[in-house]
Amino acid sequence: MHSKNAPQRAPSKLFTLNLLVKSFILLIVLGTGFSVLIMYKPQYIDLHSMAMRTISMSWSPAHCADEGTSLQRWIAPPSNLTHSMTDEELFWRASFVPQVKKYPYNRTSKVAFMFLTKGPLPLAPLWEEFLKGHEGKYSIYVHSSPDYQPDFPRPSVFYRRQIPSQVAEWGKMSMCDAERRLLANALLDVDNERFVLLSESCIPLHNFSTVYGYLVRSKRSFVGAFDDPGPHGRGRYNHNMAPEVSISQWRKGAQWFEVDRSLAVFLIHDAKYYPKFRDFCRPPCYVDEHYFPTILAIELPHLLANRSLTSVDWSRGGAHPATFGGRDVTEGFLKRLKGRQSCMYNDLPAAVCFLFARKFSPSALKPLLHFAPILLGYGSEQRLFE
């Protein structure tokens, strides 16, 4: 029996030998790895420190500011008016309203002068004189035909102030779309507090300080909204406007308005009345004379001065006001234009009622520049001798 069990011990000895060899190889590998780790430890420490420094820099306050998380990102006006937003996207972005009323920085209210034009601004040199020396208190926006390319020089206040524009047709909803587009682009600058709609034929009747103070101190916005019982008022009402707008709520007013920031936001986010005016106020119903006056009179009548700041002359009759050329602009003419007026301002009687006037043709520029220093209160004195 003993001789039969003897051969079974050989595999046990072989297993023990294999185990010893594998253990020896493992010790060699571990030793080699430990030696390599010791050899490269300084480099590892340096790389680790560098990585930690990089992560730290990535999350430092200065880096966060660079990434646009500082307050400056939210209050700085757009450096470039060119953008690719649709009207829907633009109106959504521009309708953001802070719920905290107190600004966390020293804010200077600005007046946004919004020019709705077909193309050139022939009276731009007059506006340049009006705005000179008042940087930081105004901003400029121009909506023109989309195929028009302005060529204002770099020093001009109108340089690169054209917003992405679309075709605007007189008397149609596309005109109100252009006005809302101007408002929305101007709202992107949080310092813009007052918004004035102007045409290429408008001029300022007073110096900048007078105009600026008049606007920023006003308790109300300057939108005319009156009930005209005649054919050019209620006669344009379409009963399909009901129930959103009844005939007793139907209003008419001048296209050239001035509103504060709260009303500007209201006008661009309106979705209740817009479809009604788009579909049921078409020529001979001129929507630019009815849309804003009506919806503001319905929703926010207590915020309206119910008058326009832009003087026009309808004495010649016709569908459009009188246009004044170079021969019309005399010293007597401008004095009459600025003559004593009577209106209410902040619930008190006032003698200054109009801040702007229209319509002036390109030929009026030279005499306007000539008389501006002495009759309008702005411009260069040297022009008196030109």
Side-chain angles (χ1 to χ4, degrees):
M1 183 177 292
H2 179 75
S3 62
K4 291 181 180 179
N5 294 333
Q8 295 179 3
R9 295 191 181 101
S12 176
K13 291 179 180 180
L14 183 61
F15 174 78
T16 303
L17 180 60
N18 288 340
L19 182 61
L20 289 173
V21 171
K22 290 180 180 179
S23 298
F24 180 73
I25 293 173
L26 181 60
L27 288 173
I28 293 175
V29 172
L30 290 174
T32 304
F34 184 75
S35 300
V36 172
L37 180 61
I38 294 298
M39 185 183 302
Y40 288 97
K41 184 177 180 181
Q43 288 87 335
Y44 167 78
I45 293 173
D46 289 342
L47 288 172
H48 178 73
S49 300
M50 185 182 298
M52 293 304 295
R53 285 197 300 269
T54 302
I55 294 172
S56 177
M57 290 175 62
S58 299
W59 292 98
S60 67
H63 182 78
C64 289
D66 291 341
E67 288 295 316
T69 57
S70 68
L71 178 64
Q72 188 62 27
R73 175 197 176 195
W74 301 99
I75 65 176
S79 58
N80 190 338
L81 297 186
T82 301
H83 58 75
S84 59
M85 288 185 284
T86 64
D87 280 353
E88 181 182 13
E89 294 168 339
L90 173 64
F91 295 166
W92 177 83
R93 172 63 184 87
S95 64
F96 290 178
V97 178
Q99 298 304 303
V100 177
K101 300 303 181 183
K102 184 179 180 181
Y103 289 87
Y105 65 98
N106 294 325
R107 180 178 184 258
T108 298
S109 296
K110 294 196 295 188
V111 176
F113 295 100
M114 308 179 303
F115 291 85
L116 180 58
T117 77
K118 293 181 178 179
L121 287 169
L123 302 180
L126 186 72
W127 284 95
E128 299 266 9
E129 294 290 342
F130 167 74
L131 296 167
K132 187 179 296 182
H134 300 284
E135 294 75 12
K137 291 187 174 182
Y138 68 86
S139 51
I140 300 290
Y141 302 87
V142 180
H143 186 294
S144 60
S145 297
D147 57 350
Y148 173 70
Q149 297 298 323
D151 57 352
F152 292 105
R154 186 176 293 271
S156 172
V157 298
F158 294 97
Y159 180 70
R160 292 187 175 178
R161 301 308 298 174
Q162 185 176 23
I163 68 169
S165 306
Q166 298 181 31
V167 174
E169 298 180 88
W170 179 70
K172 297 184 179 181
M173 202 61 180
S174 59
M175 184 68 72
C176 294
D177 292 337
E179 296 169 4
R180 298 173 84 202
R181 205 171 291 126
L182 279 164
L183 286 169
N185 278 276
L187 281 166
L188 296 180
D189 185 343
V190 297
D191 289 336
N192 284 334
E193 186 62 30
R194 310 293 300 203
F195 303 77
V196 186
L197 183 67
L198 302 158
S199 75
E200 68 270 26
S201 66
C202 288
I203 68 166
L205 291 176
H206 303 273
N207 61 38
F208 182 88
S209 297
T210 300
V211 171
Y212 179 84
Y214 198 100
L215 295 178
V216 299
R217 288 194 292 266
S218 177
K219 299 177 182 178
R220 296 180 177 85
S221 295
F222 296 92
V223 179
F226 60 94
D227 183 4
D228 179 358
H232 302 300
R234 290 199 179 196
R236 296 174 177 175
Y237 177 78
N238 186 323
H239 289 278
N240 288 310
M241 301 289 291
E244 286 80 4
V245 180
S246 67
I247 192 169
S248 63
Q249 295 172 317
W250 185 253
R251 294 293 182 269
K252 182 180 179 180
Q255 177 184 5
W256 312 103
F257 61 79
E258 188 279 339
V259 295
D260 68 10
R261 191 171 183 90
S262 64
L263 266 63
V265 172
F266 170 78
L267 291 175
I268 67 163
H269 78 56
D270 168 53
K272 176 181 178 181
Y273 301 100
Y274 181 91
K276 289 288 186 174
F277 282 87
R278 178 196 60 206
D279 297 338
F280 302 116
C281 182
R282 298 179 179 181
C285 176
Y286 301 107
V287 68
D288 52 273
E289 296 180 355
H290 296 281
Y291 176 40
F292 289 171
T294 298
I295 67 174
L296 289 173
I298 292 173
E299 299 288 346
L300 300 163
H302 60 289
L303 297 179
L304 302 183
N306 201 20
R307 62 184 176 90
S308 173
L309 292 177
T310 302
S311 174
V312 293
D313 183 358
W314 291 96
S315 63
R316 300 180 186 181
H320 301 281
T323 298
F324 304 108
R327 294 183 178 180
D328 297 305
V329 181
T330 63
E331 182 175 352
F333 169 80
L334 290 176
K335 285 183 176 179
R336 289 192 299 273
L337 194 61
K338 288 188 63 178
R340 185 169 180 82
Q341 302 153 8
S342 178
C343 59
M344 299 295 290
Y345 174 79
N346 287 346
D347 302 320
L348 296 173
V352 175
C353 303
F354 296 110
L355 302 182
F356 313 99
R358 64 186 302 268
K359 303 171 56 174
F360 290 85
S361 70
S363 65
L365 176 62
K366 187 173 182 180
L368 285 170
L369 288 171
H370 175 78
F371 289 117
I374 53 173
L375 296 178
L376 303 181
Y378 58 88
S380 175
E381 296 291 343
Q382 67 180 6
R383 293 190 182 275
L384 294 173
F385 306 99
E386 293 180 357

